[in-house]
Amino acid sequence: MESLGVYLKSRRDRVTPAEIGLRTYGTSRRVPGLRREELAQLAGVSAGYYTRLEQGLAETASRQVLDALARALRLDDVETGHLHNLARQSALPKLSDPGPEDPHPRVLALLENLGETVPAVVLGRRGDVLAWNRAGHALTAEHVGFDSPQDLARRPSVPRMFFLDPLTRNLFGNWAELARVHVAYLRLTAGRHPTDARLAGLIGELTMRSDEFATLWATGDVADCTVGTMLLRHPTVGSVDVDYQVWLQPDSPDHRLEIYTPNDPGSADALKILTRFDR
């Protein structure tokens, strides 16, 4: 998993002196972004303390220091939250297996009441498909069994399918854009659940088996996955343009109900056809 020091360095590397108005006086620089002492000065801490923090030698970092670093590094709210999550990790136990996830009965009731006109998928913290309706299955993964989420041995993993399954990759016309979102959200989840052995195993597996995942993971980017657009090249109905939006679940905050809505009449017709085909 990721450490506070690694994340700080990756964010420091992406901020150039010119972006924040620092003068370099024409001197050669050995780092792509800010030097440690430059970031320390901007955040109002000593260079020695910041160096120890980045090297994992400082025991604690106060909320005020972390917020000052976040401002200096121009982190957004999600990235700042990730920074705070990483800072708390030193006091947490080692990796452990949290066991399989189950969707809460209330989210299953909501999924059932959506009917089959609105495609929907229930996702766990690691991107496992915990449940879906017929329309959601037909839209996103018609090549796997509809009942596969109920079988732990066959439960679909969206990150695995996205990076390791050619059929899933070919489904998305904007695969590169969505791939960045998937990886950035997985890093956010890793910061929230640093002891999850299954999550660590998933990240390790994808890093080893997918060069594209490894490259995106190395960027250090963090993002929440709440809304966006999917441009599908569906094998049954052709081009489908839908928006996805995530409904968070109060009873199980790690789980997400993802709903898909069409962006044009042709896509709406395609979803109706898919629903009929999948019954």
Side-chain angles (χ1 to χ4, degrees):
M1 304 290 258
E2 187 178 37
S3 69
L4 174 64
V6 169
Y7 185 65
L8 282 170
K9 184 179 184 308
S10 73
R11 301 305 85 187
R12 177 167 62 85
D13 286 346
R14 74 173 184 174
V15 180
T16 65
E19 287 180 299
I20 56 176
L22 282 181
R23 294 185 179 181
T24 59
Y25 301 100
T27 57
S28 61
R29 301 178 64 86
R30 296 180 180 179
V31 295
L34 295 177
R35 295 181 175 127
R36 286 173 177 166
E37 58 270 20
E38 291 170 338
L39 176 54
Q41 182 179 8
L42 289 169
V45 299
S46 72
Y49 172 75
Y50 176 77
T51 298
R52 293 194 302 275
L53 193 64
E54 192 173 288
Q55 293 177 342
L57 301 177
E59 292 185 1
T60 60
S62 69
R63 174 171 291 275
Q64 291 78 9
V65 167
L66 293 172
D67 286 341
L69 288 170
R71 288 191 295 271
L73 291 168
R74 298 187 170 187
L75 303 186
D76 61 24
D77 291 343
V78 174
E79 293 170 323
T80 301
H82 184 63
L83 184 69
H84 283 274
N85 286 335
L86 293 177
R88 290 191 291 265
Q89 287 187 15
S90 59
L92 295 175
K94 295 182 179 180
L95 292 176
S96 60
D97 187 348
E101 297 179 273
D102 294 313
H104 194 279
R106 270 194 280 270
V107 74
L108 293 179
L110 176 58
L111 180 66
E112 181 178 358
N113 279 277
L114 286 173
E116 296 302 338
T117 59
V118 180
V121 177
V122 180
L123 299 170
R125 71 162 67 157
R126 294 176 292 271
D128 294 334
V129 177
L130 306 183
W132 47 21
N133 60 12
R134 291 282 179 180
H137 165 253
L139 178 68
T140 62
E142 67 174 7
H143 63 292
V144 304
F146 174 72
D147 63 345
S148 57
Q150 284 72 55
D151 184 350
L152 295 180
R154 296 189 299 127
R155 177 172 281 178
S157 163
V158 172
R160 284 191 180 94
M161 291 195 301
F162 214 80
F163 286 95
L164 304 179
D165 177 19
L167 292 178
T168 299
R169 180 179 182 128
N170 291 336
L171 177 64
F172 295 97
N174 59 335
W175 183 91
E177 173 190 348
L178 295 172
R180 289 192 296 273
V181 173
H182 275 289
V183 176
Y185 182 76
L186 204 59
R187 175 176 251 102
L188 180 66
T189 304
R192 291 170 174 167
H193 304 282
T195 64
D196 188 332
R198 295 190 182 211
L199 178 58
L202 172 65
I203 293 167
E205 175 190 353
L206 293 177
T207 300
M208 294 295 294
R209 297 181 62 188
S210 170
D211 290 341
E212 288 160 313
F213 179 91
T215 298
L216 290 170
W217 185 262
T219 66
D221 290 344
V222 178
D224 208 348
C225 180
T226 54
V227 294
T229 299
M230 299 192 321
L231 305 176
L232 305 177
R233 301 175 296 215
H234 201 279
T236 300
V237 294
S239 297
V240 185
D241 182 346
V242 298
D243 280 344
Y244 66 84
Q245 56 180 307
V246 172
W247 292 7
L248 300 180
Q249 307 306 305
D251 295 308
S252 46
D254 293 338
H255 297 171
R256 298 170 293 148
L257 176 63
E258 195 163 281
I259 293 176
Y260 311 95
T261 53
N263 285 323
D264 55 67
S267 297
D269 290 341
L271 293 184
K272 293 177 183 177
I273 294 171
L274 278 177
T275 302
R276 289 198 296 267
F277 265 119
D278 203 59
R279 285 177 178 170

